[in-house]
Amino acid sequence: MEQTTTAQSVWQKLTHKDPVIIAGPCSAETELQVLETVIRLAKTGKVDMIRAGIWKPRTKPGNFEGVGAEGLPWLQKAKEITGLPYTVEVATGKHVEDSLKHGVDILWIGARTTVNPFSIQEVADALAGVDIPVLVKNPINPDLDLWIGAIERLQKVGIKQIGVIHRGFSNYGDTEFRNAPMWHIPIELKRRMPDLPIICDPSHICGRRDILLETAQKAADLDYDGLMIESHEDPDKAWSDAKQQITPEQLGEMLGKIVWRHESSQKEEFLNALAKFREQINHIDDEVLTLLGNRMKISEKIGLYKKENNITILQTNRWNEILEKSIKKGEKLGLTKDFILHLLDAVHLESINRQNRVMNKHEE
Ligand code: PEP
Ligand code: MN
């Protein structure tokens, strides 16, 4: 079972397009639970690193708030037995100090800490002069600058190996996900900071087991560098996040199903085919834009006409009619309702703005 993974080999994989799998219980509960879970995870042969929450930030008091520093030797022991390095969540300077004393390999910063610049600064200050990789989870609110700000605070104290974990964003009301993935936010982060390794945490995005695989696959399709997934020796009995945890064996099976794709290929046949498709797409985009430009010119004419006749810009009935017709047509073309609504919303807004400009232009 002994493996020879180290923090540096995990980092090497993360930064070289070799997906890293971090797995372990939401919380370390007892020594036995940690050892049992980690040994079974190691047996799958598919896990690179162990995770476990030691200090748990809980929404309400009275819930299990973690075993504290007492759990760190359990992780050390699990590492000795299996050879797997481990990572824990830190939220204060003291957490950093305690974890470092117990040979932690990588630190991660939780979503509730990333939102708070004071906390991030405290963690960063505790890390000044320490050479350890740090993974920063997205803040619970969809604020890309706050996420980047946390990364910058760590960079400023000299942390060189920084990665991020996408765990979704809080949303109000019931949805399919516990935390809305809002994939466009991590995608934009990747565009702005292309060298930053990015890991997906489908467990906290989904909050349930049945959609973990499809969410993890989506991350793989979006060229993520790894996954952090919660796994517990007896998930239903977990002291935190029971609904989203899976057994080490279920995790092994799930990981076997994920297809990791490459961002590019050198195969000539593939490159030629891709170039042709892209050319077609460029032409179509061009046509779509020309058509939209024409559509807006007509909107302006309508604006003038409405002005002359003193008619309002927004006419709800007409708008509903367009929406209904387009959703029906979209369905026939294989376009989702969600897509049509987003697209038409943007078109409608632009059209209103154009009409508004025409209507309220005062002759000099
Ligand atoms: C966790 O990983 O168990 C955790 C508390 O995550 P998050 O910070 O994403 O809520
Ligand atoms: Mn959890």
mmCIF file of all heavy atoms in Angstrom, residues 139-169:
data_model
loop_
_atom_site.group_PDB
_atom_site.id
_atom_site.type_symbol
_atom_site.label_atom_id
_atom_site.label_comp_id
_atom_site.label_asym_id
_atom_site.label_seq_id
_atom_site.Cartn_x
_atom_site.Cartn_y
_atom_site.Cartn_z
ATOM 1 N N PRO A 139 -14.313 32.319 -2.525
ATOM 2 C CA PRO A 139 -15.140 32.859 -1.446
ATOM 3 C C PRO A 139 -16.575 32.369 -1.613
ATOM 4 O O PRO A 139 -16.966 32.025 -2.736
ATOM 5 C CB PRO A 139 -15.051 34.373 -1.657
ATOM 6 C CG PRO A 139 -14.671 34.554 -3.091
ATOM 7 C CD PRO A 139 -13.869 33.341 -3.477
ATOM 8 N N ILE A 140 -17.370 32.359 -0.525
ATOM 9 C CA ILE A 140 -18.733 31.833 -0.663
ATOM 10 C C ILE A 140 -19.590 32.702 -1.582
ATOM 11 O O ILE A 140 -20.522 32.221 -2.193
ATOM 12 C CB ILE A 140 -19.452 31.650 0.704
ATOM 13 C CG1 ILE A 140 -19.244 32.858 1.592
ATOM 14 C CG2 ILE A 140 -19.013 30.403 1.405
ATOM 15 C CD1 ILE A 140 -19.953 32.746 2.919
ATOM 16 N N ASN A 141 -19.266 33.983 -1.686
ATOM 17 C CA ASN A 141 -20.037 34.849 -2.604
ATOM 18 C C ASN A 141 -19.313 34.966 -3.946
ATOM 19 O O ASN A 141 -18.084 34.913 -4.002
ATOM 20 C CB ASN A 141 -20.267 36.236 -1.989
ATOM 21 C CG ASN A 141 -18.969 36.840 -1.517
ATOM 22 O OD1 ASN A 141 -18.068 36.141 -1.098
ATOM 23 N ND2 ASN A 141 -18.854 38.145 -1.604
ATOM 24 N N PRO A 142 -20.070 35.139 -5.018
ATOM 25 C CA PRO A 142 -19.432 35.124 -6.347
ATOM 26 C C PRO A 142 -18.670 36.414 -6.644
ATOM 27 O O PRO A 142 -19.111 37.243 -7.423
ATOM 28 C CB PRO A 142 -20.615 34.937 -7.303
ATOM 29 C CG PRO A 142 -21.810 35.387 -6.544
ATOM 30 C CD PRO A 142 -21.528 35.243 -5.085
ATOM 31 N N ASP A 143 -17.528 36.567 -6.020
ATOM 32 C CA ASP A 143 -16.756 37.798 -6.161
ATOM 33 C C ASP A 143 -15.327 37.416 -6.565
ATOM 34 O O ASP A 143 -14.511 37.045 -5.717
ATOM 35 C CB ASP A 143 -16.787 38.556 -4.819
ATOM 36 C CG ASP A 143 -16.094 39.901 -4.904
ATOM 37 O OD1 ASP A 143 -15.259 40.094 -5.807
ATOM 38 O OD2 ASP A 143 -16.380 40.761 -4.053
ATOM 39 N N LEU A 144 -15.060 37.510 -7.852
ATOM 40 C CA LEU A 144 -13.756 37.078 -8.364
ATOM 41 C C LEU A 144 -12.612 37.907 -7.787
ATOM 42 O O LEU A 144 -11.545 37.375 -7.473
ATOM 43 C CB LEU A 144 -13.759 37.141 -9.904
ATOM 44 C CG LEU A 144 -12.472 36.725 -10.601
ATOM 45 C CD1 LEU A 144 -12.014 35.336 -10.181
ATOM 46 C CD2 LEU A 144 -12.638 36.775 -12.120
ATOM 47 N N ASP A 145 -12.846 39.202 -7.608
ATOM 48 C CA ASP A 145 -11.761 40.054 -7.088
ATOM 49 C C ASP A 145 -11.368 39.668 -5.666
ATOM 50 O O ASP A 145 -10.198 39.744 -5.298
ATOM 51 C CB ASP A 145 -12.166 41.533 -7.147
ATOM 52 C CG ASP A 145 -12.042 42.049 -8.570
ATOM 53 O OD1 ASP A 145 -11.216 41.498 -9.319
ATOM 54 O OD2 ASP A 145 -12.778 42.981 -8.939
ATOM 55 N N LEU A 146 -12.358 39.265 -4.887
ATOM 56 C CA LEU A 146 -12.071 38.838 -3.513
ATOM 57 C C LEU A 146 -11.198 37.578 -3.526
ATOM 58 O O LEU A 146 -10.278 37.411 -2.713
ATOM 59 C CB LEU A 146 -13.411 38.553 -2.816
ATOM 60 C CG LEU A 146 -13.474 38.613 -1.301
ATOM 61 C CD1 LEU A 146 -12.919 39.904 -0.754
ATOM 62 C CD2 LEU A 146 -14.928 38.425 -0.853
ATOM 63 N N TRP A 147 -11.504 36.691 -4.447
ATOM 64 C CA TRP A 147 -10.725 35.437 -4.602
ATOM 65 C C TRP A 147 -9.279 35.802 -4.990
ATOM 66 O O TRP A 147 -8.320 35.345 -4.375
ATOM 67 C CB TRP A 147 -11.386 34.580 -5.687
ATOM 68 C CG TRP A 147 -11.058 33.120 -5.681
ATOM 69 C CD1 TRP A 147 -10.202 32.459 -4.837
ATOM 70 C CD2 TRP A 147 -11.609 32.124 -6.570
ATOM 71 N NE1 TRP A 147 -10.191 31.118 -5.145
ATOM 72 C CE2 TRP A 147 -11.046 30.890 -6.193
ATOM 73 C CE3 TRP A 147 -12.516 32.150 -7.618
ATOM 74 C CZ2 TRP A 147 -11.358 29.696 -6.861
ATOM 75 C CZ3 TRP A 147 -12.838 30.961 -8.276
ATOM 76 C CH2 TRP A 147 -12.265 29.754 -7.909
ATOM 77 N N ILE A 148 -9.171 36.684 -5.973
ATOM 78 C CA ILE A 148 -7.838 37.094 -6.445
ATOM 79 C C ILE A 148 -7.098 37.856 -5.340
ATOM 80 O O ILE A 148 -5.895 37.675 -5.141
ATOM 81 C CB ILE A 148 -7.962 37.944 -7.740
ATOM 82 C CG1 ILE A 148 -8.476 37.051 -8.881
ATOM 83 C CG2 ILE A 148 -6.624 38.586 -8.111
ATOM 84 C CD1 ILE A 148 -8.706 37.757 -10.195
ATOM 85 N N GLY A 149 -7.850 38.654 -4.577
ATOM 86 C CA GLY A 149 -7.232 39.408 -3.476
ATOM 87 C C GLY A 149 -6.569 38.464 -2.475
ATOM 88 O O GLY A 149 -5.466 38.722 -1.977
ATOM 89 N N ALA A 150 -7.243 37.353 -2.169
ATOM 90 C CA ALA A 150 -6.680 36.380 -1.224
ATOM 91 C C ALA A 150 -5.381 35.790 -1.790
ATOM 92 O O ALA A 150 -4.381 35.648 -1.080
ATOM 93 C CB ALA A 150 -7.700 35.274 -0.953
ATOM 94 N N ILE A 151 -5.413 35.487 -3.076
ATOM 95 C CA ILE A 151 -4.212 34.929 -3.729
ATOM 96 C C ILE A 151 -3.064 35.948 -3.635
ATOM 97 O O ILE A 151 -1.927 35.610 -3.284
ATOM 98 C CB ILE A 151 -4.526 34.602 -5.217
ATOM 99 C CG1 ILE A 151 -5.582 33.506 -5.296
ATOM 100 C CG2 ILE A 151 -3.262 34.207 -5.980
ATOM 101 C CD1 ILE A 151 -6.239 33.357 -6.661
ATOM 102 N N GLU A 152 -3.391 37.206 -3.894
ATOM 103 C CA GLU A 152 -2.354 38.246 -3.870
ATOM 104 C C GLU A 152 -1.767 38.436 -2.469
ATOM 105 O O GLU A 152 -0.578 38.659 -2.313
ATOM 106 C CB GLU A 152 -2.923 39.571 -4.397
ATOM 107 C CG GLU A 152 -3.116 39.518 -5.909
ATOM 108 C CD GLU A 152 -3.786 40.758 -6.469
ATOM 109 O OE1 GLU A 152 -4.207 41.635 -5.683
ATOM 110 O OE2 GLU A 152 -3.902 40.843 -7.715
ATOM 111 N N ARG A 153 -2.612 38.318 -1.434
ATOM 112 C CA ARG A 153 -2.094 38.458 -0.064
ATOM 113 C C ARG A 153 -1.068 37.365 0.236
ATOM 114 O O ARG A 153 -0.075 37.594 0.918
ATOM 115 C CB ARG A 153 -3.232 38.411 0.955
ATOM 116 C CG ARG A 153 -4.011 39.701 1.022
ATOM 117 C CD ARG A 153 -5.166 39.633 2.012
ATOM 118 N NE ARG A 153 -6.099 40.705 1.736
ATOM 119 C CZ ARG A 153 -5.971 41.956 2.182
ATOM 120 N NH1 ARG A 153 -4.973 42.259 2.990
ATOM 121 N NH2 ARG A 153 -6.834 42.891 1.858
ATOM 122 N N LEU A 154 -1.327 36.164 -0.291
ATOM 123 C CA LEU A 154 -0.380 35.065 -0.067
ATOM 124 C C LEU A 154 0.894 35.274 -0.888
ATOM 125 O O LEU A 154 2.004 35.034 -0.415
ATOM 126 C CB LEU A 154 -1.035 33.722 -0.438
ATOM 127 C CG LEU A 154 -2.171 33.306 0.501
ATOM 128 C CD1 LEU A 154 -2.995 32.184 -0.108
ATOM 129 C CD2 LEU A 154 -1.607 32.860 1.847
ATOM 130 N N GLN A 155 0.698 35.735 -2.129
ATOM 131 C CA GLN A 155 1.875 35.999 -2.976
ATOM 132 C C GLN A 155 2.776 37.035 -2.303
ATOM 133 O O GLN A 155 3.992 36.915 -2.315
ATOM 134 C CB GLN A 155 1.444 36.534 -4.349
ATOM 135 C CG GLN A 155 0.913 35.437 -5.262
ATOM 136 C CD GLN A 155 0.289 35.992 -6.539
ATOM 137 O OE1 GLN A 155 -0.177 37.128 -6.581
ATOM 138 N NE2 GLN A 155 0.269 35.174 -7.594
ATOM 139 N N LYS A 156 2.155 38.022 -1.684
ATOM 140 C CA LYS A 156 2.915 39.127 -1.081
ATOM 141 C C LYS A 156 3.821 38.685 0.063
ATOM 142 O O LYS A 156 4.828 39.323 0.327
ATOM 143 C CB LYS A 156 1.961 40.200 -0.560
ATOM 144 C CG LYS A 156 1.577 41.202 -1.623
ATOM 145 C CD LYS A 156 0.949 42.398 -0.977
ATOM 146 C CE LYS A 156 1.140 43.634 -1.831
ATOM 147 N NZ LYS A 156 0.473 44.779 -1.255
ATOM 148 N N VAL A 157 3.432 37.606 0.777
ATOM 149 C CA VAL A 157 4.305 37.145 1.864
ATOM 150 C C VAL A 157 5.301 36.102 1.362
ATOM 151 O O VAL A 157 6.037 35.507 2.134
ATOM 152 C CB VAL A 157 3.526 36.585 3.078
ATOM 153 C CG1 VAL A 157 2.654 37.657 3.701
ATOM 154 C CG2 VAL A 157 2.701 35.357 2.696
ATOM 155 N N GLY A 158 5.296 35.875 0.042
ATOM 156 C CA GLY A 158 6.339 35.015 -0.537
ATOM 157 C C GLY A 158 5.928 33.580 -0.815
ATOM 158 O O GLY A 158 6.752 32.742 -1.156
ATOM 159 N N ILE A 159 4.624 33.261 -0.682
ATOM 160 C CA ILE A 159 4.189 31.897 -1.018
ATOM 161 C C ILE A 159 4.240 31.768 -2.539
ATOM 162 O O ILE A 159 3.636 32.557 -3.258
ATOM 163 C CB ILE A 159 2.754 31.619 -0.498
ATOM 164 C CG1 ILE A 159 2.689 31.740 1.021
ATOM 165 C CG2 ILE A 159 2.269 30.237 -0.940
ATOM 166 C CD1 ILE A 159 3.436 30.688 1.785
ATOM 167 N N LYS A 160 4.970 30.766 -3.015
ATOM 168 C CA LYS A 160 5.158 30.648 -4.470
ATOM 169 C C LYS A 160 4.200 29.623 -5.089
ATOM 170 O O LYS A 160 3.793 29.750 -6.228
ATOM 171 C CB LYS A 160 6.599 30.217 -4.768
ATOM 172 C CG LYS A 160 7.614 31.206 -4.234
ATOM 173 C CD LYS A 160 8.706 31.528 -5.225
ATOM 174 C CE LYS A 160 9.399 32.842 -4.926
ATOM 175 N NZ LYS A 160 9.479 33.227 -3.507
ATOM 176 N N GLN A 161 3.913 28.584 -4.312
ATOM 177 C CA GLN A 161 3.066 27.525 -4.872
ATOM 178 C C GLN A 161 1.627 27.740 -4.397
ATOM 179 O O GLN A 161 1.247 27.328 -3.311
ATOM 180 C CB GLN A 161 3.603 26.169 -4.441
ATOM 181 C CG GLN A 161 5.010 25.944 -5.012
ATOM 182 C CD GLN A 161 5.640 24.686 -4.446
ATOM 183 O OE1 GLN A 161 5.588 24.426 -3.248
ATOM 184 N NE2 GLN A 161 6.256 23.903 -5.305
ATOM 185 N N ILE A 162 0.858 28.419 -5.247
ATOM 186 C CA ILE A 162 -0.532 28.709 -4.897
ATOM 187 C C ILE A 162 -1.450 28.085 -5.953
ATOM 188 O O ILE A 162 -1.196 28.204 -7.155
ATOM 189 C CB ILE A 162 -0.787 30.237 -4.831
ATOM 190 C CG1 ILE A 162 0.125 30.872 -3.766
ATOM 191 C CG2 ILE A 162 -2.251 30.535 -4.530
ATOM 192 C CD1 ILE A 162 0.048 32.389 -3.697
ATOM 193 N N GLY A 163 -2.469 27.402 -5.479
ATOM 194 C CA GLY A 163 -3.470 26.848 -6.384
ATOM 195 C C GLY A 163 -4.837 27.270 -5.875
ATOM 196 O O GLY A 163 -4.949 27.870 -4.795
ATOM 197 N N VAL A 164 -5.886 26.983 -6.635
ATOM 198 C CA VAL A 164 -7.230 27.344 -6.167
ATOM 199 C C VAL A 164 -8.157 26.128 -6.203
ATOM 200 O O VAL A 164 -7.909 25.165 -6.943
ATOM 201 C CB VAL A 164 -7.854 28.484 -7.005
ATOM 202 C CG1 VAL A 164 -7.107 29.778 -6.790
ATOM 203 C CG2 VAL A 164 -7.920 28.133 -8.475
ATOM 204 N N ILE A 165 -9.172 26.208 -5.371
ATOM 205 C CA ILE A 165 -10.205 25.156 -5.360
ATOM 206 C C ILE A 165 -11.558 25.812 -5.622
ATOM 207 O O ILE A 165 -11.959 26.749 -4.916
ATOM 208 C CB ILE A 165 -10.262 24.421 -4.007
ATOM 209 C CG1 ILE A 165 -8.893 23.813 -3.659
ATOM 210 C CG2 ILE A 165 -11.334 23.327 -4.031
ATOM 211 C CD1 ILE A 165 -8.824 23.206 -2.256
ATOM 212 N N HIS A 166 -12.246 25.304 -6.637
ATOM 213 C CA HIS A 166 -13.578 25.818 -6.971
ATOM 214 C C HIS A 166 -14.609 24.939 -6.264
ATOM 215 O O HIS A 166 -14.724 23.754 -6.575
ATOM 216 C CB HIS A 166 -13.731 25.767 -8.509
ATOM 217 C CG HIS A 166 -15.117 25.988 -8.993
ATOM 218 N ND1 HIS A 166 -15.640 25.305 -10.064
ATOM 219 C CD2 HIS A 166 -16.097 26.822 -8.571
ATOM 220 C CE1 HIS A 166 -16.889 25.702 -10.258
ATOM 221 N NE2 HIS A 166 -17.183 26.615 -9.378
ATOM 222 N N ARG A 167 -15.355 25.522 -5.288
ATOM 223 C CA ARG A 167 -16.325 24.746 -4.503
ATOM 224 C C ARG A 167 -17.735 25.305 -4.615
ATOM 225 O O ARG A 167 -18.613 24.953 -3.850
ATOM 226 C CB ARG A 167 -15.893 24.620 -3.031
ATOM 227 C CG ARG A 167 -15.531 25.892 -2.338
ATOM 228 C CD ARG A 167 -16.683 26.755 -1.942
ATOM 229 N NE ARG A 167 -17.284 26.324 -0.684
ATOM 230 C CZ ARG A 167 -18.483 26.713 -0.266
ATOM 231 N NH1 ARG A 167 -19.211 27.576 -0.987
ATOM 232 N NH2 ARG A 167 -18.968 26.296 0.881
ATOM 233 N N GLY A 168 -17.934 26.194 -5.604
ATOM 234 C CA GLY A 168 -19.272 26.736 -5.816
ATOM 235 C C GLY A 168 -19.568 27.904 -4.885
ATOM 236 O O GLY A 168 -18.813 28.187 -3.960
ATOM 237 N N PHE A 169 -20.723 28.586 -5.175
ATOM 238 C CA PHE A 169 -21.053 29.839 -4.498
ATOM 239 C C PHE A 169 -22.432 29.727 -3.847
ATOM 240 O O PHE A 169 -23.349 29.140 -4.428
ATOM 241 C CB PHE A 169 -21.032 30.981 -5.525
ATOM 242 C CG PHE A 169 -19.681 31.095 -6.207
ATOM 243 C CD1 PHE A 169 -19.388 30.349 -7.352
ATOM 244 C CD2 PHE A 169 -18.687 31.907 -5.667
ATOM 245 C CE1 PHE A 169 -18.137 30.419 -7.963
ATOM 246 C CE2 PHE A 169 -17.431 31.983 -6.270
ATOM 247 C CZ PHE A 169 -17.159 31.251 -7.417
#
